[in-house]
Amino acid sequence: MAYSHRNRPTARTGPTTVPIPHTAARTALFAGALTAALTAAFLHAPQAAAEPAPEGQNACETDPEAPPKRQMRAEWIAGVENIDWPSEQGLSADEQKAELDGLYDEAVDNGLNSVFVQIRPTADAFWPSPHEPWSEWLTGEQGGDPGYDPLEYAVEEAHSRNLEFHAWYNPYRVAMHDDPSQLVEDHPARQNPDWVFDYNGQLYYNPGIPEAREFVIEAMMDSVENYDLDGVHFDDYFYPYPAEGEEIPDEDTFAEHGGDFDDIEDWRRDNVDTMVREMSEAVNATKPHVKFGISPFGIWRNSSTDPEGSETSGSQSYDDQFADSRKWVTEGWLDYINPQVYWEIGLPVADYAALVPWWEEVAASTDTHLYIGQAAYKVGNEGAWEDPNELSSHLDFNRDHAGVHGDVYFSANSLRTNAQEAMDVLVSDHYSSPALIPVKEDLGGTAPAPPEASTTDDGALEIASGSGEAPAYYAVYGFDGEPAPDQGECGIEDPRNMLGTVRADEDGAATFDVSDGSDTTYHVTALDRLHHESPASEPVHLP
């Protein structure tokens, strides 16, 4: 069985087993209309509490029944093994574009505001990288030119729908097989065979070799430097998930590079820490507005192992992948943490209701945002996941935890197959109103000036930027009847009045269709790319 961000074996828990998130892979494929059960990898989280009014604005009373105005709402779009996009190898450029357009349109229809798209699944690239070959998942042939730039297209189309685009990379996985000769001849892993080890039937760059780590960072940073990304995202693959009866073959590397470490496991954790810290520093130095986040396995450590751990008894990423995810948060290396909490409420060994508060507490004293990875791929499995309300119940739970800033769903294809009914319930219960993406204040940015809006004869709002730099996009709010006091101040704080958002062009112009409205007053706000919101425009009444 092959794995990816969705490739993990099951997490061992003594006599009990817990599936390992972003790695579990598909165990069944489509058979007929809905025999699709992806056992791939998994991703992130729920609804954040409404943010306080920006400084300088009057605080408005918040209706306790109102949904959060700001939430990360995202899905993973996986490329490895053609889980999501492209759906198969060898599609034409136009077919690939049409598939991605369809996924993005469905994301918008589901009330999402972000996509996490896998662009480096196996030490390869979904863009013309000077460091690594074209991905085999595009054409079926590693190094095969797809005839266009998939990353450029993916970013542009996401932004045209006002979806935030997070580029998703797997740092160390080289191949889903263990035969270096199957790699293209000029592949860096073939040119530097001492950088690579095979484990459990797959090839990996060795995290303990400094040159390999530096190369991996350089290869990923090429896309950060050359594309208009909003985020940089890693999944849970660092050192490989443990395979029974196999040892990671890095004793010689430890002897050469272990330095003052007496314990090989501490050294491995330090290798991963170093890569995370250096990638964080590189992103921040190159484009400080780009967010850096990771979606680790949902359990850091169990409290029976470490008093700082969670009340769980499942596999531990600290010990199994040498991923000290708690440290990455407390050290401030991440803009967001997106743990894969891929278990149901009430599961004894890994209870969703125990893990979300634990992660909330970890992030509480930091500037790191918390998103929760949600296992849409599990919907339809026996037990709790047979209930199409399970995912919605997770967001019900999150509403009582203000430290949760949103959710990410694994993965896009599940939301249109096995989890379609569950997502319909979730959208009805939680996503019936749009949401803005939470602001991370330490990334900078400022609210633009209030925009100007007017109506056209064909039922549209024409929007223009106010003074100063053009905004990234606009939010449009609608109110029944003629203008009323506080609409443009307090009314816009309730997302139930938000009709949607629209991307601005380079000159700050945009058009928003309001042809369905009559006797409606509209207010428009302007937002920068980091989602700081301006005061509202003057009201525009459409009789």
Side-chain angles (χ1 to χ4, degrees), residues 477-488 518-523 538-543:
Y477 301 83
F479 303 87
D480 291 338
E482 296 188 354
D486 293 335
Q487 274 180 350
S518 61
D519 192 19
T520 303
T521 295
Y522 299 96
H523 289 272
E538 292 297 318
V540 176
H541 180 244
L542 190 66

Side-chain angles (χ1 to χ4, degrees), residues 24 61 103 113 137 153 160 163 175 211 213 244 252 300 305 317 372 381 404 432 462 476 480 502 510:
E61 279 192 34
L103 290 173
N113 53 27
W137 310 113
Y153 185 81
S160 73
L163 294 166
E211 294 81 5
R213 180 183 71 245
E244 188 172 356
D252 291 343
W300 172 70
T305 304
S317 62
I372 304 300
N381 286 3
V404 175
S432 58
E462 281 191 344
V476 179
D480 291 338
V502 60

Side-chain angles (χ1 to χ4, degrees), residues 36 60 77 88 91 93 121 134 190 201 235 237 244 252 268 288 292 304 307 354 389 392 402 441-442 475 495 499 509:
C60 298
I77 298 178
E88 59 183 286
L91 297 178
W134 283 109
R190 289 188 67 175
D235 60 8
Y237 278 96
E244 188 172 356
D252 291 343
R268 288 171 180 163
F292 177 42
S304 59
N389 294 291
S392 184
E441 297 291 354
D442 59 331
L499 303 179

